[in-house]
Every structure is written in structure tokens, then in C-alpha cells.
Amino acid sequence: MTRARAVDRIFPGGSTVWGIAFGSVRWSLFLSFALLLASGAGRTLAGDNDFAAPALTVTSHVNGQTVNTLTIVLQGTATDAGRGDHGISLVSVRGNVAGATATGDATVNWSQTITLTPGQNTLYISAYDNSTSQNEARLTLTINFQAVDRIAPNLVVTSHANGAVVNTQTIVIAGTASDAGSGNNGISEVDLNGTIPGTATTGTGTVNWSKEVTLHQGPNILYIHAYDASDVKNERLVILTISFQATDSLAPTVEITSHTDGQTVFTSTVEVSGTATDAGRGNNGIDAVYLRGKLPNSNVA
């Protein structure tokens, strides 16, 4: 006959667990494991039993808020107080927030600088506690960015008209740029085949700009950009077509006097000679004569 007896044990924390111990080994093991779970060691085996997400708040902005600055500082708090008291392991919004940790039931004040894009920006903010489960609290925040200055600056080309025809290969394109009356934020830069140096100005000021441009024969399409100095860098684009038609469009005359086409020679080396002239072909002289490379002293005015 199996005997049973009452047991009464006190475990850490002052709790008392009692039950009936039987001679059966299987029952003894089951009861021992149940008692182990009730003890501190049992809690270690079962985990910390914290399945509650921490508390996460945003204090600097509200959902759906409209702002007029490109960059904002998002701020808030995170705590695990009353939620398991395991502290905060990290807060993230577009990357981990530096220094956003806390221990126990403490509260961390966090902040992150965010660069917005025009229109609606959806931000995902997460906080994780420091429990074994790494419980997560998550907030979704919508911030609308509407720039105060949404007007492109003024850009004028003063040196050439669109569709102009020139007969020099190198020209200087010049003009002005200003943000006066278009936001009054000044000019950050003017671009024409790259940024033109010294084209920045402030407020309502006007900048005079110029750029030397080398053309090719026929139409040349030039893209000129001016950007204001606002947060969003409003852009004005002017497209200019300049056609280059050289005054002298006639090739010079070249003549070989030493040999004829198809001639047969009996030496491995020959000296080829002749004449070249631009007379009556524009009268601009000869820049060079080439025969298997540039010939020395082959230029004439």
C-alpha cells in the first residue's frame, strides 16, 4: 500500500506551497517540477513572464500635424514602469535613437532629428523593453511637410535670346537670378554645365552670373538652373537653344604635287609633298596639315 503524507515548504519570497507526496516516482517528479516553477529557480526556467510592451509616447508632435520646416526634432518618452519594470533597451525611429535606454522602472526622454520630404511623411517609432521577450511598443505618426516658400526664383538670360545664331564657337552666357518676391530666401546657386562659382546671394539680392560655353556646329541646347536658398531649394529652369554657324564653312584646298594617285614606286621610302591654302575658301589660313600625324611647320596665316 502506497503511503501519502502532507508536505509544507516555504520558498523564496515567503510563499508557502503544500501538497501530498506519494511513493510513486512519477508523481514525485511531477510535484517536484511544480514546486520548482513556484520558486525563483522555476521562474528562471520559465522566463521572466513579462509579456507587456513598454509605454511609448511622442510629446513633440501629434499625428497628422502639418509643419513648414524641412527638418524637425521628434521627442518623447519610453518606460517599462508597471509593465514589467525591466527598463528600456532601445528606441528607434529611422534608426536607433542614441542614448535611449533606461533600467528598471525609469523613464527615458528620447529625441531624433528627422528630415522630411514635401507632403505626407509616415514615421514608425518603436520602443523595446529589456526583458527576455524584448517586448515592443510601436507608434505610427504622420507628419505633413508644407514649405512656406514653394515658389521658384527668378532667372533671366541677358546675353543671348533663345534660338540665337552665333558664328563663334566660344560664347559667354550671362544673366541674373533673384528670389525677390518669390520667397525672399536668396539664391543658393546657378548651374550651367556645372555650378557657376560665386552665384549665391541672400534675401532679395540679385546675383549677376556668367559662364563661358564651347559650342559645336549646329544647334546647342543649354540647361540653366537657379535654386533658391529655402529649405526645399526651389528650382527655376531656363532652356536656351544657341546655333553655331561658322562664318567660314568651306574646307581649304590641299594638293599633292610629288605623286599621283595610283602611282607605282620602286623605293620603300618616299617623300610626299604638296600645297595647302585657304585662299578663296574663307581666307582663314591653314592651321595644320596631317599625313600619318601632324606635319611640322604646316600652319600658315
Side-chain angles (χ1 to χ4, degrees):
M1 179 178 178
T2 301
R3 293 185 178 181
R5 59 185 178 88
V7 295
D8 188 2
R9 296 186 181 180
I10 299 177
F11 291 91
S15 60
T16 300
V17 178
W18 65 273
I20 304 298
F22 293 88
S24 169
V25 173
R26 181 178 298 176
W27 179 259
S28 177
L29 290 175
F30 175 80
L31 185 58
S32 296
F33 183 69
L35 295 174
L36 187 62
L37 290 181
S39 69
R43 284 194 298 271
T44 300
L45 290 174
D48 51 33
N49 295 323
D50 178 0
F51 300 106
L56 173 65
T57 63
V58 176
T59 57
S60 58
H61 298 78
V62 296
N63 190 42
Q65 183 173 342
T66 298
V67 299
N68 52 33
T69 55
L70 182 65
T71 302
I72 63 172
V73 177
L74 202 63
Q75 297 176 318
T77 64
T79 181
D80 202 44
R83 312 286 293 173
D85 299 335
H86 282 101
I88 299 297
S89 60
L90 69 89
V91 176
S92 68
V93 51
R94 289 191 180 175
N96 292 349
V97 179
T101 60
T103 59
D105 61 356
T107 298
V108 61
N109 295 290
W110 56 266
S111 66
Q112 183 87 311
T113 299
I114 304 291
T115 300
L116 305 172
T117 56
Q120 181 175 295
N121 295 258
T122 302
L123 306 176
Y124 300 98
I125 308 124
S126 295
Y128 299 84
D129 67 18
N130 214 15
S131 68
T132 303
S133 304
Q134 291 283 287
N135 299 300
E136 177 193 9
R138 191 175 215 195
L139 296 177
T140 302
L141 189 70
T142 299
I143 300 293
N144 300 299
F145 170 44
Q146 293 183 0
V148 174
D149 180 1
R150 288 177 281 176
I151 304 173
N154 306 301
L155 175 63
V156 178
V157 178
T158 57
S159 59
H160 298 78
N162 188 42
V165 177
V166 298
N167 53 29
T168 55
Q169 189 172 24
T170 301
I171 62 174
V172 176
I173 302 290
T176 63
S178 173
D179 201 44
S182 297
N184 302 332
N185 282 298
I187 300 296
S188 61
E189 64 180 78
V190 178
D191 293 352
L192 171 57
N193 295 338
T195 301
I196 302 174
T199 52
T201 186
T202 59
T204 61
T206 298
V207 61
N208 296 289
W209 55 267
S210 64
K211 182 73 176 283
E212 186 176 277
V213 176
T214 300
L215 306 173
H216 57 74
Q217 188 73 24
N220 295 258
I221 301 176
L222 306 177
Y223 298 91
I224 308 156
H225 306 258
Y227 301 88
D228 68 19
S230 68
D231 282 348
V232 292
K233 298 290 189 290
N234 296 297
E235 174 195 11
R236 176 75 68 185
L237 171 64
V238 171
I239 301 176
L240 191 69
T241 300
I242 303 291
S243 296
F244 168 45
Q245 293 182 3
T247 303
D248 179 1
S249 58
L250 300 176
T253 301
V254 62
E255 182 181 1
I256 297 174
T257 57
S258 59
H259 297 80
T260 59
D261 185 34
Q263 181 179 341
T264 300
V265 298
F266 301 97
T267 58
S268 60
T269 302
V270 297
E271 182 176 327
V272 179
S273 59
T275 62
T277 180
D278 199 45
R281 309 287 293 174
N283 303 326
N284 284 297
I286 300 299
D287 178 62
V289 177
Y290 289 81
L291 174 59
R292 292 186 177 178
K294 185 178 180 179
L295 302 180
N297 303 317
S298 59
N299 62 311
V300 65

